[in-house]
């Protein structure tokens, strides 16, 4: 298990009490403090375990995740409130439990005031209150996690969709599972399912196959096949069914192990790609910069389970590629990447010279206000300097011809120079000197990205060992771009020191073994 340190945006002044969600993806922190930016006080937050981002503020002094449910349970210290339940997904109140001085007297009240109580409490309750709010069924349904806005409209014998998972056979590549789902009546069928594998996202074909067998039925027992994620010995399958009343059942969760051990891939790759084809001012537009950013991120994401145990991507293109969003992406790399991880950063678009330095032209870029509408290259360099990845490959495709005077355009040499002194960062630029980076319809990409994709896909495997190292990627791309452009464009590498050129960036799927049987990362 990998340890993580989060730089949280608040100052805490109380001891923390921690609680993890059932799936391990969220961490509940009970800790009073103040937000650094607003100085407002807070109580209890839910964090994303992977990124450290604050998912939800709760405003509750003491609470914890309730195992095998979608609830949080807790109370506020200074209000003398009884034990309460909140919906862990939305943070909204669901129930509170009321006790009385009289022995064995109790009441349970939903956030909508429906209640159930012991006989001695009901005996002294005003008849008008009982008629209006005494709905035991609503309380019972609320305790199963049914949303409050649906409680009173449910049929008398209603129950949430019930789901079970059972393994029927295991191979080294797949698990075959029996899925059994039942709804409460013939009039209430299964409207949809949420099928997930926690270790790695399932292919859409696997999900579509399961949906075809289940959706539209009122009761079904069927068989589905789930592949083990490449490079993992275990997987956790989770399925949730939703009925036509739009109520979701309790999740069925099943953990499975491969019959035979494989070497696990431990390394993580974090990818940030940015590409702007459609600018706020159309005269700056490019054709393939956004496509290049998306396609390259997808190609690297496909290395999850091959060259890396996990691959995480953030992609910003066109109107999403703003100064604010690109900064968010760079800050994300600072938060999540550790000294055990690898990062790839790809920028495609225009680079400009301004009076205060060099700039990357984000979507809102304006040559008449470069300082305020474009991202200063020095800010990018400072952010990369703070990134903890053991190696960062920076791919710069930010010098394109267009509606700019040549004196305005920053050359790749200008841009690269800003990044050369950063430890553990290798800069690979799409063109030399005063050259422009070219793109053509018959390529469907810029020349630089087309060559990178070919190299990652296997053509860069010059020593035929089924893996592509950083240096193999670079050497193939340099030769291929030069050939594609008839020697008009020459990618270059300003420095190689301080970087492991033998680091594997891509591994080809093995055709001689079952899917999922991959060797460890270099």
């Amino acid at each position: 298990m990998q340890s993580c340190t989060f730089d949280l945006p608040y100052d805490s002044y109380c001891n923390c009490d921690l609680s993890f969600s059932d799936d391990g993806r969220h961490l509940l922190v009970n800790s009073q403090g103040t937000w650094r930016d607003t100085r407002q006080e807070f109580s209890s937050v839910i964090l994303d375990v992977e990124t450290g981002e604050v998912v939800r503020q709760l405003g509750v002094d003491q609470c914890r995740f309730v195992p095998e449910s979608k609830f949080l349970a807790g109370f506020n210290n200074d209000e003398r409130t009884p034990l309460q339940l909140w919906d862990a997904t939305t943070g909204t109140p669901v129930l509170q439990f009321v006790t009385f001085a009289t022995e064995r007297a109790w009441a349970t009240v939903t956030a909508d005031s429906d209640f159930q109580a012991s006989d001695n409490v009901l005996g002294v309750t005003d008849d008008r209150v009982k008629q209006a709010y005494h709905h035991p069924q609503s309380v019972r349904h609320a305790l199963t996690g049914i949303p409050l806005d649906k409680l009173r409209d449910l049929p008398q014998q209603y129950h949430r969709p019930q789901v079970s998972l059972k393994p029927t056979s295991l191979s080294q590549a797949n698990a075959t599972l029996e899925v059994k789902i039942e709804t409460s009546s013939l009039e209430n069928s299964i409207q949809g399912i949420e099928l997930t594998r926690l270790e790695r996202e399932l292919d859409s074909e696997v999900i579509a196959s399961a949906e075809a067998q289940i959706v539209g039925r009122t009761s079904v027992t069927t068989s589905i096949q789930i592949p083990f994620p490449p490079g993992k010995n275990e997987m956790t399958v989770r399925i949730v069914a939703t009925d036509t009343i739009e109520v979701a059942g309790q999740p069925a969760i099943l953990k499975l192990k491969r019959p035979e051990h494989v070497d696990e891939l431990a390394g993580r790759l974090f990818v940030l790609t940015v590409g702007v084809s459609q600018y706020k001012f159309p005269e700056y537009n490019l054709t393939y910069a956004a496509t290049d950013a998306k396609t390259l991120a997808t190609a690297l994401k496909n290395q999850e389970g091959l060259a890396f145990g996990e691959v995480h991507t953030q992609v910003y293109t066109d109107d999403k590629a703003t100064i604010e969003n690109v900064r968010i992406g760079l800050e994300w790399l600072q938060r999540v990447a550790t000294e055990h991880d690898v990062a790839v950063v790809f920028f495609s678009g225009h680079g400009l010279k301004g009076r205060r330095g060099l700039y990357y032209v984000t979507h809102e870029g304006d040559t008449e206000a470069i300082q305020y509408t474009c991202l200063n290259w020095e800010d990018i360099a400072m952010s990369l300097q703070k990134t903890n990845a053991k190696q960062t490959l920076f791919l710069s495709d930010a010098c394109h011809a267009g509606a700019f005077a040549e004196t305005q355009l920053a050359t790749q040499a200008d841009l690269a120079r800003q990044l050369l002194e950063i430890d553990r960062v290798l800069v690979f630029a799409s063109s030399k000197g005063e050259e422009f980076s070219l793109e053509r319809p018959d390529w469907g990409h810029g020349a630089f990205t087309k060559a990178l994709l070919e190299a990652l896909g296997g053509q860069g495997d010059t020593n035929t060992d089924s893996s592509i190292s950083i240096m193999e990627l670079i050497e193939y791309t340099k030769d291929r771009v030069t050939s594609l452009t008839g020697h008009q464009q020459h990618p270059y590498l300003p420095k190689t020191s301080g970087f492991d050129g033998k680091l594997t960036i891509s591994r080809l799927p093995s055709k001689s073994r079952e899917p999922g049987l991959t060797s460890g990362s270099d």
Side-chain angles (χ1 to χ4, degrees):
M1 184 175 180
Q2 209 164 29
S3 62
C4 296
T5 302
F6 300 137
D7 181 18
L8 300 175
Y10 59 75
D11 297 311
S12 173
Y13 50 80
C14 279
N15 292 334
C16 292
D17 179 46
L18 307 178
S19 172
F20 284 94
S21 59
D22 272 356
D23 60 12
R25 292 184 173 183
H26 295 106
L27 174 64
L28 171 57
V29 182
N30 293 152
S31 177
Q32 294 180 327
T34 56
W35 298 105
R36 292 195 190 109
D37 54 353
T38 64
R39 306 313 299 171
Q40 290 183 333
E41 294 190 352
F42 75 93
S43 295
S44 302
V45 293
I46 296 178
L47 305 177
D48 184 296
V49 171
E50 181 182 297
T51 66
E53 294 178 356
V54 176
V55 176
R56 187 162 295 105
Q57 301 178 46
L58 299 172
V60 182
D61 292 335
Q62 297 290 329
C63 60
R64 298 182 71 84
F65 283 108
V66 179
E68 299 182 6
S69 81
K70 58 178 290 186
F71 295 130
L72 303 168
F75 56 88
N76 284 311
N77 295 322
D78 56 354
E79 297 176 5
R80 297 184 180 180
T81 54
L83 182 66
Q84 293 180 272
L85 292 183
W86 291 266
D87 187 312
T89 305
T90 63
T92 55
V94 177
L95 282 169
Q96 72 174 20
F97 302 93
V98 183
T99 57
F100 300 86
T102 307
E103 187 178 1
R104 299 182 184 279
W106 56 269
T108 303
V109 185
T110 74
D112 287 345
S113 300
D114 288 350
F115 77 95
Q116 168 65 311
S118 56
D119 291 341
N120 47 3
V121 173
L122 289 174
V124 295
T125 302
D126 186 285
D127 286 342
R128 289 171 299 179
V129 173
K130 285 195 288 187
Q131 185 174 358
Y133 297 112
H134 182 222
H135 296 284
Q137 177 177 287
S138 294
V139 174
R140 176 172 62 84
H141 288 326
L143 283 168
T144 66
I146 295 174
L148 296 181
D149 60 350
K150 300 183 181 299
L151 294 181
R152 293 195 184 181
D153 299 329
L154 298 177
Q156 185 65 33
Q157 301 303 318
Y158 177 83
H159 63 73
R160 298 168 71 184
Q162 296 175 343
V163 187
S164 65
L165 281 174
K166 183 173 69 174
T168 56
S169 67
L170 292 174
S171 72
Q172 198 64 346
N174 303 294
T176 302
L177 309 178
E178 179 189 271
V179 182
K180 186 175 183 179
I181 305 180
E182 291 183 352
T183 60
S184 58
S185 68
L186 294 176
E187 293 77 30
N188 185 25
S189 62
I190 301 162
Q191 178 176 278
I193 62 168
E194 180 186 336
L195 177 63
T196 56
R197 182 180 58 190
L198 299 188
E199 292 76 11
R200 185 181 178 189
E201 186 176 341
L202 286 168
D203 290 340
S204 57
E205 293 81 4
V206 175
I207 298 172
S209 174
E211 288 176 337
Q213 299 176 67
I214 295 171
V215 174
R217 312 278 291 276
T218 57
S219 177
V220 59
T221 300
T222 189
S223 179
I224 62 173
Q225 193 173 76
I226 307 294
F228 278 97
K232 297 287 185 182
N233 283 294
E234 298 182 358
M235 67 175 173
T236 306
V237 180
R238 180 180 183 270
I239 186 168
V240 178
T242 302
D243 60 20
T244 48
I245 303 177
E246 298 184 354
V247 172
Q250 291 281 15
I253 300 174
L254 186 62
K255 294 185 177 181
L256 300 153
K257 287 186 177 182
R258 287 185 191 272
E260 297 178 17
H261 183 85
V262 297
D263 293 332
E264 293 214 0
L265 297 171
R268 298 189 302 173
L269 174 66
F270 292 95
V271 180
L272 171 64
T273 65
V274 183
V276 189
S277 293
Q278 302 298 313
Y279 284 89
K280 180 179 179 180
F281 299 99
E283 61 266 29
Y284 305 160
N285 284 356
L286 297 167
T287 306
Y288 297 110
T291 300
D292 288 351
K294 294 175 185 176
T295 310
L296 183 63
T298 300
L300 291 169
K301 178 64 178 177
N302 290 339
Q303 284 301 311
E304 188 169 69
L306 293 173
F308 300 91
E310 298 176 22
V311 178
H312 303 276
T313 64
Q314 284 202 17
V315 181
Y316 298 103
T317 61
D318 293 337
D319 61 345
K320 298 295 187 296
T322 60
I323 293 177
E324 180 182 2
N325 282 344
V326 176
R327 283 178 174 157
I328 288 172
L330 291 167
E331 289 167 1
W332 167 71
L333 286 180
Q334 291 178 37
R335 285 197 311 273
V336 299
T338 73
E339 66 274 14
H340 306 292
D341 305 320
V342 176
V344 172
V345 180
F346 174 82
F347 274 42
S348 183
H350 293 296
L352 292 181
K353 298 175 183 177
R355 284 186 300 171
R356 299 196 177 185
L358 304 171
Y359 292 85
Y360 175 69
V361 186
T362 50
H363 170 74
E364 67 272 52
D366 182 357
T367 57
E368 297 183 8
I370 295 176
Q371 182 180 345
Y372 306 103
T373 64
C374 301
L375 184 60
N376 192 293
W377 207 255
E378 186 175 343
D379 291 344
I380 298 169
M382 290 177 63
S383 183
L384 292 177
Q385 182 79 61
K386 297 176 183 177
T387 299
N388 296 319
K390 64 180 179 182
Q391 309 270 244
T392 298
L393 176 61
F394 190 94
L395 302 170
S396 175
D397 193 9
C399 180
H400 294 269
F404 304 101
E406 290 190 20
T407 54
Q408 288 179 288
L409 283 169
T411 69
Q412 291 286 18
D414 294 330
L415 299 175
R417 198 173 297 118
Q418 191 88 53
L419 308 177
L420 295 185
E421 302 306 316
I422 306 174
D423 293 337
R424 306 184 309 278
V425 174
L426 185 68
V427 179
F428 186 35
S430 61
S431 56
K432 283 183 179 179
E434 303 296 327
E435 295 174 345
F436 293 124
S437 296
L438 305 178
E439 51 181 18
R440 281 195 350 212
D442 55 323
W443 298 337
H445 293 285
F448 186 59
T449 300
K450 176 177 172 60
L452 288 171
L453 293 171
E454 289 177 356
L456 291 169
Q459 294 184 49
D461 182 20
T462 54
N463 62 0
T464 64
D465 64 351
S466 295
S467 66
I468 294 89
S469 69
I470 293 288
M471 290 313 298
E472 283 181 311
L473 175 80
I474 288 169
E475 291 304 321
Y476 176 87
T477 301
K478 289 167 65 175
D479 292 343
R480 180 63 168 147
V481 170
T482 301
S483 173
L484 275 173
T485 63
H487 293 267
Q488 296 181 67
Q489 181 180 336
H490 302 81
Y492 85 116
L493 197 66
K495 70 164 186 177
T496 58
S497 59
F499 201 93
D500 180 10
K502 296 180 180 179
L503 178 75
T504 296
I505 190 67
S506 175
R507 182 172 279 116
L508 306 180
S510 173
K511 297 179 180 179
S512 60
R513 292 176 290 174
E514 287 184 287
L517 305 186
T518 58
S519 60
S521 182
D522 288 349

